[in-house]
Amino acid sequence: TERSSTELTDLVRQSKELSVENEDLKKELDIYKKKSLQSESKRDAAVTAVSVEKEWRENLQKQGVTNREEIAKLRAEVTHVHDLKSALKQYQRESEDLRRSCREQETALVELGD
């Protein structure tokens, strides 16, 4: 019975050790669960941030295309305005030449009439 008593004592001691080890493992598991939840939360935040950044980048790219198209349109309009300005100056020179010619002819007619 002494042997049984020693075995029983050993079993009780082992049971206590296993119980302590089990508690330690439960605490460690809780720590890993918390870390896992924190990691998932950080991952979800990162996914959201990446999604927002992607949308922002796409919008900037679209706006860039729109801006380049608008710039091209405005440059074409500026070129057209310059062309019109040049044509107007040419017409003004021709008009002034015609007026001068007309005055000269009127003067010549007056002189011929005298």
Side-chain angles (χ1 to χ4, degrees):
T1 64
E2 193 173 310
R3 186 173 175 193
S4 298
S5 175
T6 304
E7 287 178 359
L8 184 59
T9 303
D10 285 345
L11 286 174
V12 169
R13 184 183 47 77
Q14 286 176 353
S15 175
K16 287 180 182 178
E17 288 174 0
L18 287 174
S19 179
V20 168
E21 189 177 331
N22 188 28
E23 287 301 316
D24 289 345
L25 289 173
K26 284 182 182 179
K27 289 177 185 176
E28 195 173 332
L29 179 62
D30 286 343
I31 289 170
Y32 285 124
K33 283 182 181 178
K34 287 178 185 176
K35 286 183 179 181
S36 176
L37 288 174
Q38 289 173 348
S39 293
E40 285 181 28
S41 177
K42 287 180 182 179
R43 179 189 51 99
D44 290 345
V47 166
T48 300
V50 167
S51 176
V52 168
E53 184 179 337
K54 179 183 176 189
E55 184 178 335
W56 177 70
R57 189 176 357 96
E58 287 172 352
N59 286 337
L60 283 177
Q61 288 172 343
K62 288 177 187 175
Q63 187 62 41
V65 168
T66 302
N67 288 346
R68 284 189 292 279
E69 289 171 351
E70 186 66 21
I71 288 170
K73 178 182 170 188
L74 291 172
R75 282 183 177 156
E77 288 180 18
V78 166
T79 300
H80 183 65
V81 167
H82 283 302
D83 292 345
L84 290 175
K85 183 178 175 183
S86 295
L88 176 62
K89 285 182 181 181
Q90 178 63 31
Y91 291 137
Q92 287 173 334
R93 283 192 294 270
E94 289 175 8
S95 175
E96 186 57 37
D97 289 347
L98 289 173
R99 283 190 185 124
R100 190 176 318 108
S101 176
C102 184
R103 281 193 302 270
E104 289 171 358
Q105 290 176 4
E106 286 175 349
T107 303
L109 285 174
V110 168
E111 289 174 358
L112 285 176
D114 288 334

